[in-house]
Amino acid sequence: MRIQRFIAGRESEDMEHYTPIYVNTSDKSVLVIGGGRVAERKVRGLLQTEARITVVSPLLTPTLEQLHQESRIEWIARSYRNGDLRGAFLVYAATDDLHVNHAVVQEAEAGAILVNDAMSSGNSSFITPSVVRRGRLSIAISTAGAGPAAAAEIRALLEQQFGDEYETYLDFLHQMRMEIKSRGLPPTVRSTLLRRLTEMDILDTIRTGQFQWWSEEKIGNWISRNQEEM
């Protein structure tokens, strides 16, 4: 009963208390407590972040077993024990046992470790949104607990709106930004040049298959021409 009252109180917290941020987990220790389908989803979302992923669970799904065999995750083949979170940067409490998840949350909070309780967002110090990725572009979606089906529907709409062309487009903008920055131009000039880039029809050119990467000469000519027009 004590755990149930604790969770009910935390669930009532306003989701506006969460601050949307992107956290760099590259080469950082991330623990996933649990080895079922929920834990598998958490691990899948972490694989491309280059985090050092450790799963603590007596059993694993076939997918998690394969990832362990490929040395993409570490596996502690037993149930969670107090002290397992020592040195962790992020923790996911992803078991189907309310009491275990609560114990994980308690240890994480005592150690000032960010924790996500898969069974209760109200118990979590961070939540994992649904994400649309297009290369450098990532769009995070949270429905503040309204339901995964709503998040999935919104994600599907965004995936249609922001197609693969955005990956090429943002790579182009990044290339141009680095080139403009390397020329030592004043901040106001850099800002104006980057704004003018976004006003061009680059996206439409990519969508129609007519886009070609700019040569150094073309980049230089474009910068010089636009500087003269300022």
Side-chain angles (χ1 to χ4, degrees), residues 56-129:
V56 180
S57 177
L59 300 173
L60 298 179
T61 66
T63 297
L64 290 176
E65 285 186 4
Q66 182 64 34
L67 290 172
H68 172 62
Q69 292 173 8
E70 295 171 355
S71 299
R72 300 182 67 185
I73 65 172
E74 295 184 18
W75 177 27
I76 299 177
R78 58 165 173 76
S79 299
Y80 159 78
R81 298 174 186 169
N82 188 274
D84 282 344
L85 310 190
R86 191 176 294 111
F89 178 69
L90 287 180
V91 175
Y92 289 88
T95 78
D96 59 0
D97 188 315
L98 188 71
H99 296 270
V100 172
N101 286 0
H102 175 60
V104 172
V105 170
Q106 282 193 317
E107 182 184 348
E109 290 183 340
I113 301 169
L114 294 173
V115 62
N116 173 265
D117 184 346
M119 295 182 69
S120 173
S121 60
N123 288 339
S124 304
S125 54
F126 77 95
I127 55 178
T128 305

Side-chain angles (χ1 to χ4, degrees), residues 107-180:
E107 182 184 348
E109 290 183 340
I113 301 169
L114 294 173
V115 62
N116 173 265
D117 184 346
M119 295 182 69
S120 173
S121 60
N123 288 339
S124 304
S125 54
F126 77 95
I127 55 178
T128 305
S130 180
V131 180
V132 175
R133 297 186 187 274
R134 295 290 185 264
R136 297 178 185 277
L137 174 65
S138 60
I139 305 172
I141 306 151
S142 173
T143 58
E153 182 179 355
I154 295 169
R155 177 179 177 176
L157 291 172
L158 289 172
E159 285 177 333
Q160 293 177 14
Q161 183 175 354
F162 296 91
D164 294 336
E165 68 272 13
Y166 276 87
E167 181 171 353
T168 302
Y169 177 57
L170 291 176
D171 282 343
F172 169 75
L173 291 182
H174 177 73
Q175 177 197 30
M176 294 296 295
R177 182 175 182 272
M178 293 297 100
E179 187 65 34
I180 292 170

